[in-house]
């Protein structure tokens, strides 16, 4: 999709493509590098260059970005004595090693602007000032070290640090946010430009959270204001959001990412946002001479109104007339002329006489997405299923006399960790209640291999607990608790010491009689059997015995498989998973991501039901679809759909650029 996405960005007036560099993807094991396929960073940058655009390479290598573990590879966790993102020798060694690897790779391909390439900026670290105070005196030392380390790699182009007001010279401090024209304190040195590395076009969405809609008018207002205040660079975060395939999202973040961006998840134009910003970009570029070479002045033209004027010696002039009144139209006087400004808007006068553009006046027609059903998977004989065995204590060779931390135990090889134990009550336990406390994200509880109940936390809470009435048998009872992570944390200080998983487990028989299993002999199993056998791969399907779908009520932890043909045409494709509850999907061995339809928003809606299947993943016929369902979803209601656009009030749909 790279070529098409870059082309649409260029058509929208974008000059620079900014990308993070994902340490966990490119160095999955220490010293083992992967730049193949979707991870081919050089190929991506050369595609940008081929289309005549520039690159900002945000190496980080901490990136946050709602990406699992903030982009760190999990092996970093086990480096002796390591503390991330501070004046810590083990961390600095690996950070410098990876940063140097990326810079040298770019140099070897001649990709820096100093070599005639497209990379005009690099970023080191990411929003560090948010956590700097937690590291006390070691924070500022680390900032200076990181800046010096980057500069000494001699890329020949500037380095930036976002949200770092004290970025050491010559590294440029930049702004992130939605209103940097209002919030940015400016460069910390007169020889640095005013730059905005993240203009949030909407906001990321979490399971259980509603989407955040930011209007085209609001984005345009703040872009124009930043330019009026001598801003020289604005990057949209995100211009195209895309899809978090596999297990790449951070904690609770949905698989769809920044779908409200000017280019939506599928790479389709989101109008009027894309078109309105395109018009603004054209307007600003047409005024480039006075903006770059003119002298700026600003003065009041009303109680909530301001004029910013750039005038060049040859007479070239541009004016930005700002109305900060969000409630009403205002008529202002400027250079002996009257101009009416819409509420919360900026009028741009490219000759200081005629108002040609107003940020609040949108002329681009809105569009909407149309989902067209192409296939229902509603026939029982289309599907086969394989049920996971529920492990008990005797099945597990990994043992501990305490509750192990989830992430350290799984090493991020799986979302899933089984905690199991066996016990026999000493006396009668008439109304037992299982109490579980967890700092993970989801818990599924089983007693004697029978599913009892599931519970979960949320993005805004730290941990959760469950109290579940259970039934015990006479004799030995096997308790199996599945702890599930939905992405690793991506931000905050001391990421290396975060705790997840079960923290307390008891069975209460009466008010006075409680069995506490917190410090008890536990058995552990990392991951699910189907994951270990990779039953989502064609060559591994025969590793397990698939059977016809049964109609029992106990459907938890079931794998389903079927095949399908690709819809004709080139419209984007999505699976509608609204009949499922929680799990993951694979198409032709490629993970489409996690789904969690059963986690509803405050308005009672799933956060996401449509899951993007890129056409490049598909064959014309015989595509393998494998679904892991954790709870009780119904695969017979899954459907395959194409996605297209239609102009509002227009019968004609399109999914390419409009003429």
């Amino acid at each position: 999709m790279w070529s098409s996405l870059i082309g649409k960005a260029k058509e929208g007036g974008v000059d620079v493509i900014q990308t993070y560099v994902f340490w966990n993807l490119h160095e999955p094991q220490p010293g083992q590098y992967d730049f193949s396929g979707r991870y081919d960073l050089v190929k991506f940058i050369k595609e940008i260059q081929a289309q005549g655009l520039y690159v900002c390479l945000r190496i980080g290598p901490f990136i946050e970005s709602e990406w699992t573990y903030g982009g760190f590879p999990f092996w970093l966790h086990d480096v002796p004595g390591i503390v991330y993102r501070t004046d810590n020798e083990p961390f600095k060694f690996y950070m410098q090693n990876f940063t140097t690897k990326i810079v040298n790779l770019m140099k070897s391909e001649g990709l820096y602007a100093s070599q005639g390439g497209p990379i005009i900026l690099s970023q080191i670290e990411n929003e560090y000032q948010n956590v700097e105070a937690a590291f006390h005196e070691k924070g500022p030392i680390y900032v200076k070290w990181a800046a010096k380390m980057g500069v000494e790699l001699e890329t020949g182009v500037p380095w930036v640090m976002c949200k770092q007001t004290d970025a050491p010279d010559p590294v440029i401090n930049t702004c992130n946010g939605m209103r940097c024209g209002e919030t940015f304190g400016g460069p910390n040195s007169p020889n640095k430009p005013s730059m905005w590395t993240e203009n949030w076009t909407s906001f990321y969405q979490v399971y259980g959270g509603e989407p955040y809609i930011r209007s085209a008018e609001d984005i345009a207002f703040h872009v124009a204001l930043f330019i009026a205040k001598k801003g020289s660079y604005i990057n949209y975060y995100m211009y195209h959001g895309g899809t978090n395939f596999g297990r790449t999202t951070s904690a609770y973040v949905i698989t769809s990412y920044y779908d409200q961006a000017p280019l939506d998840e599928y790479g389709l134009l989101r109008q009027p946002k894309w078109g309105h910003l395109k018009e603004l970009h054209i307007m600003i570029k047409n005024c480039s001479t006075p903006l770059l070479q003119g002298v700026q002045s600003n003065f009041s033209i009303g109680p909530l109104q301001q004029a910013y004027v750039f005038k060049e010696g040859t007479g070239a002039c541009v004016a930005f007339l700002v109305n900060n009144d969000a409630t009403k139209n205002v008529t202002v006087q400027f250079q002996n002329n009257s101009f009416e400004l819409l509420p919360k808007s900026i009028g741009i006068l490219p000759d200081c006489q005629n108002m040609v553009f107003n940020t609040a006046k949108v002329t681009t027609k809105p569009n909407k997405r149309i989902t067209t059903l192409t296939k229902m998977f509603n026939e029982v004989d289309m599907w086969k299923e394989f049920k996971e065995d529920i492990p008990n204590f005797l099945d597990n060779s990994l043992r501990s006399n305490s509750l192990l931390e989830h992430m350290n135990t799984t090493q991020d090889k799986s979302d899933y960790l089984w905690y199991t134990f066996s016990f026999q009550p000493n006396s009668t336990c008439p109304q037992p209640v299982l109490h579980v406390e967890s700092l993970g994200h989801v818990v599924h509880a089983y007693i004697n291999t029978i599913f009892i109940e599931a519970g979960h936390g949320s993005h805004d809470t730290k941990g959760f607990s469950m109290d579940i009435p259970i039934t015990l048998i006479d004799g030995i009872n096997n308790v199996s608790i599945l702890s599930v992570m939905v992405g690793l944390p991506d931000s905050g200080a001391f990421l290396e010491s975060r705790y997840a998983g079960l923290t307390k487990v008891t069975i209460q028989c009466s008010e006075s009689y409680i069995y506490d299993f917190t410090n008890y002999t536990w058995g552990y199993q990392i991951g699910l059997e189907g994951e270990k056998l990779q039953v989502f791969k064609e060559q591994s399907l025969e590793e397990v015995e698939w059977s016809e779908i049964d109609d029992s009520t106990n459907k938890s932890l079931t794998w389903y498989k079927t095949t399908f043909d690709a819809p004709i045409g080139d419209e984007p494709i999505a699976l509608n998973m609204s009949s499922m509850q929680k799990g993951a999907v694979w198409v032709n061995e490629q993970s489409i991501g996690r789904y969690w339809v059963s986690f509803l928003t405050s308005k009672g809606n799933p956060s996401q039901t449509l899951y993007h299947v890129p056409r490049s993943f598909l064959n014309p016929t015989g595509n393998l679809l494998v679904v892991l369902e954790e709870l009780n979803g119904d695969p017979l209601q899954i459907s395959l759909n194409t996605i297209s656009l239609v102009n509002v009030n227009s019968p004609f749909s399109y999914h390419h650029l409009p003429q």
Side-chain angles (χ1 to χ4, degrees), residues 229-496:
K229 292 185 172 183
K230 296 187 179 179
S232 67
Y233 172 95
I234 299 169
N235 180 82
Y236 296 106
Y237 190 98
M238 307 284 288
Y239 192 80
H240 164 64
T243 308
N244 288 308
F245 297 114
R247 300 171 52 246
T248 56
T249 70
S250 64
Y252 293 105
V253 174
I254 69 173
T255 296
S256 171
Y257 193 63
Y258 270 81
D259 184 41
Q260 294 292 328
L263 297 176
D264 72 10
E265 179 183 4
Y266 306 96
L268 302 176
L269 309 187
R270 188 170 285 287
Q271 300 285 31
K273 200 172 279 190
W274 183 89
H276 190 53
L277 293 175
K278 176 182 178 176
E279 292 179 16
L280 174 61
H281 301 154
I282 291 170
M283 180 60 51
I284 289 170
K285 287 175 191 177
N286 286 343
C287 301
S288 59
T289 299
L291 286 172
L292 290 168
Q293 299 172 20
V295 175
Q296 188 225 43
S297 60
N298 68 85
F299 46 88
S300 173
I301 50 174
L304 293 171
Q305 291 74 39
Q306 194 84 2
Y308 295 85
V309 181
F310 294 79
K311 195 162 187 178
E312 206 229 338
T314 59
C317 182
V318 58
F320 297 80
L321 307 184
V322 182
N323 178 19
N324 279 307
D325 191 324
T327 60
K328 60 178 183 289
N329 289 18
V330 175
T331 300
V332 297
Q333 299 296 315
F334 176 75
Q335 293 200 354
N336 302 319
N337 288 314
S338 294
F339 298 95
E340 186 173 22
L341 300 176
L342 297 169
K344 195 66 176 179
S345 75
I346 298 177
I348 301 178
L349 289 60
D351 57 0
C352 286
Q353 294 180 12
N354 299 287
M355 191 166 71
V356 177
F357 184 88
N358 185 283
T359 57
K361 186 177 181 181
V362 179
T363 58
T364 301
K365 286 188 169 63
N367 64 7
K368 62 180 179 179
R369 276 201 311 234
I370 301 293
T371 304
T372 304
L373 177 69
T374 64
K375 181 178 182 60
M376 285 293 298
F377 295 95
N378 57 354
E379 297 173 26
V380 173
D381 57 5
M382 295 170 67
W383 292 94
K384 291 281 193 291
E385 72 173 26
F386 154 64
K387 281 190 167 67
E388 285 277 330
D389 287 331
I390 308 306
N392 64 39
F393 176 74
L394 295 175
D395 297 329
N396 301 141
S397 57
L398 177 59
R399 302 278 174 91
S400 173
N401 291 325
S402 62
L403 292 168
L404 295 181
E405 195 276 322
H406 182 126
M407 295 181 286
N408 190 42
T409 307
T410 63
Q411 293 290 293
D412 194 34
K413 298 293 190 293
S414 170
D415 286 351
Y416 304 99
L417 178 62
W418 284 104
Y419 292 72
T420 65
F421 70 92
S422 298
F423 93 111
Q424 182 170 355
N426 295 331
S427 58
T428 58
C429 193
Q431 293 181 306
V433 173
L434 176 67
H435 175 78
V436 179
E437 296 178 16
S438 175
L439 287 173
H441 302 149
V442 181
V443 161
H444 302 308
Y446 294 78
I447 306 290
N448 300 317
T449 74
I450 304 299
F451 175 72
I452 305 300
E453 194 168 314
H456 63 81
S458 74
H459 183 263
D460 299 323
T461 59
K462 186 177 179 181
F464 65 100
S465 63
M466 301 164 58
D467 287 290
I468 315 162
I470 58 175
T471 301
L472 299 174
I473 59 172
D474 291 335
I476 292 182
N477 290 266
N478 286 296
V479 179
S480 308
I481 301 173
L482 183 62
S483 173
V484 188
M485 296 293 285
V486 186
L488 301 189
D490 73 329
S491 59
F494 305 109
L495 204 56
E496 73 287 338

Side-chain angles (χ1 to χ4, degrees), residues 202-234:
S202 61
F203 209 63
Y204 67 87
Q205 192 177 348
V206 297
Y207 290 110
E210 302 286 351
Y212 180 90
I213 312 295
R214 190 180 181 200
S215 71
E217 299 94 316
D218 187 59
I219 300 172
F221 176 91
H222 289 285
V223 169
L225 184 64
F226 194 72
I227 295 293
K229 292 185 172 183
K230 296 187 179 179
S232 67
Y233 172 95
I234 299 169

Side-chain angles (χ1 to χ4, degrees), residues 172-184:
I172 302 162
N173 60 301
T174 70
C175 186
N176 289 356
M178 290 191 182
R179 300 182 298 278
C180 283
E182 297 172 349
T183 60
F184 187 41

Side-chain angles (χ1 to χ4, degrees), residues 33-53:
Y33 296 99
D34 186 356
F35 295 97
S36 63
R38 304 211 305 263
Y39 306 161
D40 193 338
L41 181 60
V42 167
K43 184 176 180 180
F44 180 66
I45 292 172
K46 286 185 174 178
E47 177 62 41
I48 296 169
Q49 183 179 27
Q51 298 206 36
L53 303 183

